[in-house]
Amino acid sequence: MPRALIVVENMSVPADPRVRAQSRTLTAAGWDVTVLCPRGIDRDTAPYEEIDGVQVHRYTPRTSPGGLSGYAGEYFQALRSTRKLARRLEADGSFDVVQVCNPPDVMPLAVLALRRRGAATIFDHHDLTPELFESRFRRRGLLHRATLTAERLAYRLSDVVVATNESFRENALGRGHKQAADVFVVRNGPDTSVFRPVPPDPSLRRDGRHLIGCAGIIGSQDGIDVALDALATLRERRQDWTAVFAGSGDALEAAREQCSQLGLDDVVAFLGFVADRERLVTILSTCDVALSPEPRNGLNERSTLIKVSEYLAVGTPVVAFDLPETRRTAGENAQYAGGDTPAAFADAIDELLDNEPRRQELSAGGRARAVELLSWSSSEATLLDAYERALHHPAAEARRRRRRDRRGTRLERA
């Protein structure tokens, strides 16, 4: 049975939906899968669990307070902890393939020893870190160039790249100088047997008013500030709605403060991270409109937003900015804002709330698109192809051959 190690730094598992789905797919295909990740704050806190046949080992992370120094400290601690745990886990048997998920792009350094000893390496490219840096800190310069260097290093240390969409694939071929045969597009996709239309929960509505929802990570690049500005504009026009935000992240407290400053506390609720997926699906099924407010920038234009495919799968009409990868995900099954401003976003929400036939059309079309094109089952075969390529990659086989030769030489000398 081939053995795989998956390393992820920025989320715990199984909270990370992509890694959870990948692990299950590999296990079902006969792989022995181990995941190495940080402990969560209010979930996934045990140092070890076996979940659906996947062994999950967790280390205690250093939580970043934000800012460059905070992230540097978090990543340094993650590198040390990951390296230590990976070496300990290798004592139970060598790994055939090691998959490293970003961010940060320096995480492949933590498994260099495993790579030298013959493990094939996969870089699972979750985020464009240089663009993420620019969107968070609004600047270029030496540190931005450092993120580009780290990305090149991640590509160089990988035998195979798994990209989340075509834009990321183009990045791997361009900035990463990877060969086309070594780059596989494995899209994020919901489990459409879980993310599906279910009966709504009337208790979530207030006096029968429209319910607007947003679910996902609340980070500085995710546009929650834009969504709140749009809702403030919407409230000036109409009073027949309330909104819920389900999710957590480093921008949550700032979002709550902005909500108060805008005078929206009586109509907007922050639910925090909703660990129960069935509960999350019920919330989305109750919403008349779901928001994907990520603003236009170099990161969001090229990123696949998992929330959009989840909304589509549940059959909740989506309002979003017209970004290239968002349109590749939703096609014509979303209400796109007519511009890149909060006011334009408010216009799109306003129009959709007044048009029930349009909402029904988007609901039916979105669900069909999710089932036919976007579900995780559509990505499973490509993931397994990527692992097969890595397992028999010429570079990995050459490293294993050199290791055998060195071992043979040592035995001869002994």
Side-chain angles (χ1 to χ4, degrees):
M1 178 183 293
R3 194 169 182 230
L5 174 66
I6 301 178
V7 175
V8 57
E9 189 279 335
N10 72 325
M11 283 191 76
S12 59
V13 175
D16 187 314
R18 180 175 175 85
V19 174
R20 179 177 62 233
Q22 290 173 331
S23 301
R24 289 177 174 172
T25 295
L26 291 167
T27 301
W31 285 77
D32 179 357
V33 180
T34 300
V35 173
L36 200 166
C37 67
R39 297 187 193 186
I41 296 175
D42 52 6
R43 62 190 186 275
D44 305 337
T45 56
Y48 172 78
E49 283 186 273
E50 183 170 327
I51 305 171
D52 298 330
V54 177
Q55 302 172 62
V56 181
H57 295 261
R58 305 185 184 103
Y59 59 87
T60 302
R62 173 177 173 175
T63 303
S64 171
L68 294 174
S69 61
Y71 285 114
E74 174 189 333
Y75 294 158
F76 180 74
Q77 174 66 23
L79 282 168
R80 290 182 58 188
S81 298
T82 299
R83 178 175 177 273
K84 181 178 179 180
L85 254 178
R87 295 185 68 176
R88 193 189 81 193
L89 293 172
E90 193 187 30
D92 297 331
S94 61
F95 291 100
D96 298 287
V97 175
V98 178
Q99 172 184 321
V100 179
C101 310
N102 86 321
D105 291 340
V106 295
M107 288 308 292
L109 295 175
V111 295
L112 268 181
L114 278 62
R115 183 178 186 274
R116 284 196 299 266
R117 287 192 282 272
T121 51
I122 295 176
F123 178 43
D124 188 10
H125 200 179
H126 291 193
D127 285 315
L128 290 167
T129 303
E131 284 77 6
L132 178 61
F133 175 89
E134 189 175 359
S135 72
R136 280 180 175 268
F137 300 107
R138 306 283 192 263
R139 54 178 164 168
R140 288 178 173 265
L142 180 61
L143 291 175
H144 182 262
R145 290 195 295 273
T147 64
L148 289 167
T149 299
E151 182 187 76
R152 286 194 295 270
L153 177 65
Y155 282 132
R156 183 173 298 179
L157 293 177
S158 64
D159 300 311
V160 166
V161 173
V162 169
T164 56
N165 59 39
E166 290 295 334
S167 292
F168 280 42
R169 180 179 184 273
E170 293 165 4
N171 193 76
L173 299 177
R175 282 201 318 228
H177 303 293
K178 302 299 291 185
Q179 297 298 312
D182 295 330
V183 183
F184 296 78
V185 176
V186 178
R187 292 182 64 90
N188 291 327
D191 181 344
T192 53
S193 67
V194 175
F195 285 89
R196 68 202 186 283
V198 301
D201 179 358
S203 68
L204 291 169
R205 296 181 181 273
R206 301 183 192 176
D207 304 324
R209 287 183 283 182
H210 290 299
L211 184 65
I212 299 168
C214 184
I217 296 173
I218 300 179
S220 60
Q221 73 275 13
D222 296 304
I224 304 304
D225 56 336
V226 177
L228 290 171
D229 284 340
L231 291 178
T233 299
L234 184 68
R235 194 179 192 189
E236 294 174 358
R237 305 175 185 175
R238 58 194 303 163
Q239 308 291 319
D240 61 342
W241 60 270
T242 59
V244 293
F245 288 82
S248 61
D250 57 17
L252 177 57
E253 289 308 313
R256 284 178 169 148
E257 291 178 10
Q258 180 187 1
C259 184
S260 297
Q261 292 168 359
L262 291 172
L264 296 175
D265 285 339
D266 60 328
V267 292
V268 173
F270 290 92
L271 307 181
F273 178 77
V274 180
D276 183 344
R277 289 197 295 172
E278 291 289 349
R279 180 58 179 165
L280 178 60
V281 168
T282 298
I283 293 169
L284 293 178
S285 291
T286 308
C287 291
D288 298 286
V289 172
L291 308 182
S292 181
E294 289 79 4
R296 184 179 301 278
N297 58 41
L299 175 67
N300 292 332
E301 287 179 302
R302 302 169 69 186
S303 297
T304 297
L305 308 170
I306 184 64
K307 62 161 64 83
V308 173
S309 56
E310 290 175 349
Y311 296 161
L312 296 175
V314 174
T316 309
V318 181
V319 172
F321 288 112
D322 194 359
L323 309 182
E325 284 297 335
T326 300
R327 187 171 279 275
R328 283 181 178 176
T329 299
E332 297 303 316
N333 301 288
Q335 182 88 353
Y336 297 106
D340 294 334
T341 65
F345 203 75
D347 290 341
I349 301 171
D350 194 10
E351 180 181 338
L352 198 54
L353 290 180
D354 278 338
N355 193 339
E356 184 174 356
R358 172 65 171 162
R359 296 202 305 272
Q360 292 175 347
E361 175 190 351
L362 292 178
S363 176
R367 173 64 183 175
R369 184 175 180 84
V371 171
E372 294 168 10
L373 299 175
L374 303 176
S375 69
W376 174 251
S377 60
S378 303
S379 298
E380 290 183 307
T382 309
L383 176 69
L384 296 176
D385 287 344
Y387 264 74
E388 186 68 17
R389 171 64 174 169
L391 191 61
H392 302 291
H393 197 279
E397 290 183 341
R399 293 196 298 274
R400 288 191 285 267
R401 186 166 54 251
R402 287 195 297 270
R403 180 170 171 77
R404 288 194 298 269
D405 291 345
R406 287 195 297 268
R407 187 179 301 162
T409 300
R410 287 196 298 268
L411 289 174
E412 290 177 2
R413 290 175 178 173

